[in-house]
Amino acid sequence: VLCGVGFLALMFQISLATADEAKHSSNKACPVGLVSGQTLDQEFGTGTSAITHCLERRHGVKLVVQINQFCLDNVPNGQCTRPYGLAHLANMIDDYEITHGMVPGRDYEMIAVAHTAGGALMVKADRGNQFEEQVKKLMARGVKFYMCQNATRALVRIGVLPAGNATGSIIEGVEYVTAGVTAVVDFQYQGYRYVQP
């Protein structure tokens, strides 16, 4: 009887390990979907699909993106037309979802930590952030944003955010971390992979 119970326990452990491996394994087919509506060979030339590396891991992906600048270009904020990191986040989501058929929350999680000058991307439009709608669209696609409280203090000091009610001027849905840089490290300890756009 004990041998039978031991054998069943062993078989159960093997089946759990196999199920876990299947859950985290990837299919090799690439692409699942086409970003432009054309095949890779049509879009980039004959032979492109044969030399294209697609994602191996398509399940259980967790990443933390550091946004530590306001603008992608070296221009004053008022002249900025390309926010730092936001287009990269949208491109990553498109690659995961369109090209590789991944589902947010099931196959991947994406968080962004905004600190230093990147903190200004987390304030509302009426406080000078012309990119509020882009942040909201990314949030609607599943990106979770965190703002550094040190960056918030700096924005209060220079008058971008009101003293005593900075939170009321932050985009709704954005949460805080006490310090952006240490939060990035902490998220890595939680299993998130680090990305710097």
Side-chain angles (χ1 to χ4, degrees):
V1 173
L2 287 177
C3 286
V5 171
F7 177 74
L8 288 175
L10 177 63
M11 293 307 294
F12 179 72
Q13 287 177 337
I14 290 171
S15 69
L16 284 178
T18 304
D20 189 53
E21 179 59 33
K23 185 171 99 175
H24 294 294
S25 67
S26 64
N27 53 18
K28 301 280 184 179
C30 177
V32 184
L34 304 172
V35 174
S36 69
Q38 300 175 323
T39 67
L40 296 176
D41 288 352
Q42 290 169 332
E43 185 175 11
F44 299 111
T46 303
T48 300
S49 66
I51 60 169
T52 298
H53 174 82
C54 287
L55 299 180
E56 293 286 326
R57 179 147 185 134
R58 298 186 193 178
H59 308 286
V61 176
K62 295 169 60 173
L63 49 108
V64 56
V65 179
Q66 176 175 241
I67 299 177
N68 58 353
Q69 298 177 42
F70 181 81
C71 192
L72 188 60
D73 305 305
N74 190 16
V75 297
N77 285 3
Q79 298 173 18
C80 184
T81 59
R82 300 187 315 158
Y84 185 80
L86 300 185
H88 293 95
L89 289 168
N91 289 340
M92 287 190 294
I93 292 170
D94 287 346
D95 189 49
Y96 284 152
E97 294 181 12
I98 298 171
T99 306
H100 294 94
M102 295 167 65
V103 176
R106 184 191 75 191
D107 298 321
Y108 77 92
E109 295 175 43
M110 188 180 301
I111 59 176
V113 177
H115 66 91
T116 320
L121 287 170
M122 300 299 108
V123 304
K124 292 181 178 176
D126 64 0
R127 290 287 172 175
N129 178 15
Q130 66 268 38
F131 305 113
E132 178 182 3
E133 285 307 310
Q134 284 181 270
V135 172
K136 286 181 174 180
K137 285 178 183 175
L138 289 165
M139 291 170 81
R141 294 185 77 185
V143 179
K144 186 163 181 136
F145 285 92
Y146 292 91
M147 182 171 178
C148 170
Q149 288 179 340
N150 290 327
T152 306
R153 288 182 187 100
L155 292 170
V156 168
R157 276 194 301 275
I158 63 173
V160 171
L161 294 174
N165 190 24
T167 301
S169 295
I170 302 298
I171 297 169
E172 189 175 335
V174 173
E175 296 183 22
Y176 282 118
V177 291
T178 56
V181 177
T182 56
V184 168
V185 173
D186 190 56
F187 283 123
Q188 287 177 291
Y189 276 115
Q190 294 175 44
Y192 287 83
R193 300 294 180 125
Y194 170 74
V195 177
Q196 174 72 56

